[in-house]
Amino acid sequence: MKKTILTVAVATTLLTSVVAQAQTSPEGYQLQQVLIMSRHNLRAPLANNGSVLEQSTPQKWPEWDVPGGQLTTKGGVLEIYMGHYLREWLAQQGMVTSGECPTDNTVYAYANSLQRTVATAQFFITGAFPGCDIPVHHQAEMGTMDPTFNPVITTDSAQFSQQAVQAMEKERQQMHLDESYKLLEQIADYPQSPTCKEKQQCDLTGAKDSFSAQYQKEPGVSGPLKVGNSLVDAFTLQYYEGFPMEQVAWGKIKTDQQWRVLSQLKNGYQDSLFTSREVAQNVAKPLVKYINNTLVADADKAAKVTLMVGHDSNIASLLTALDFKPYQLHDQHERTPIGGKIIFQRWHDAKGNRDLMKIEYLYQSTKQIRDAQALTLQSPPQRVTLALEGCPVDANGFCPMETFKSVMKDAVK
């Protein structure tokens, strides 16, 4: 018992030191500019009844109070908390003043033109700058994909399409998902599903995935990986939303290990479609160009704080397109968590008279999301420092701005 208490105490101390390091900066360092690339917050499952979810199990799915794909009320609350936390952090760094609205052109918010992305940005602004007149910019026609955020194939070439499909297949071949599929079949009672009874497709491990990469369309896959992603995504969202545990996956997920095994399907789906170098560099190009313009090419004209709200596909492809080193998010099963944010930070070192770049992944743990925990400097979200292969970081997570510019220059070619 004493050993357990000691272990907890040491772990708590280590966690506290990590958090403290994330919120403090070396003496003489001043934050100059921030770009926040965010995934939208908590939504209802994308696959509605009548589609993959209904066809893959004889069980009845619980009802949601918003249509499929739309931001939930809790998703709005979570984003308000995240906005509040980042406002405190920005004020701590001298970027904004507590209790006052930012001056004109200090904050710029830009979202993909879907309900869940625009609403996420609006809730973030409400949490960060309550009562302030900060518009969320987006395309006029809601429900359409903005080209900056639309992760579609941008090369009209049969040869490239073939290369992209081969790259996705190669990513999939590196994954070992049999254990995940077998567990999912048990939880969903897949042998009794309409798909099994009507189409005689009763074994997820034996079926093959079919990938596609068509011009002006998102990379796609049909087969067990799509089924696995849809079901695990639905279970994850149920858990986040706070459904009673007997309703989350019909009460059949009992352990954290089961979550880890199942989440390999969701992460594998995303990795297959969006993290091969060929596909990522292609679909993320408009987003990379926008970020380069904001942080490098037109940085002197850009707002001090830029918020962008898109999707997990945006973040996954961006991280590969810019060649980030592998990362591990603790206390999370998703590789690109709901509401998670890539924070690009340009700092100035007054002593060394040099500009630096620091990039962090800011996100809420699974527990913080399910429990809807308020976020403050004293009770912060999770922060993990990221590093680019082409821009090695120092002990505090900073890389030279000139080197970062070189990375971005290569990325937009």
Side-chain angles (χ1 to χ4, degrees), residues 23 32 42 54 90 99 137 350:
Q23 294 186 15
Q32 303 276 312
L42 184 57
E54 195 172 66
L90 290 169
H137 299 268

Side-chain angles (χ1 to χ4, degrees), residues 383-399:
R383 295 182 79 139
V384 170
T385 301
L386 301 177
L388 294 158
E389 288 286 356
C391 198
V393 299
D394 61 21
N396 293 305
F398 294 89
C399 80

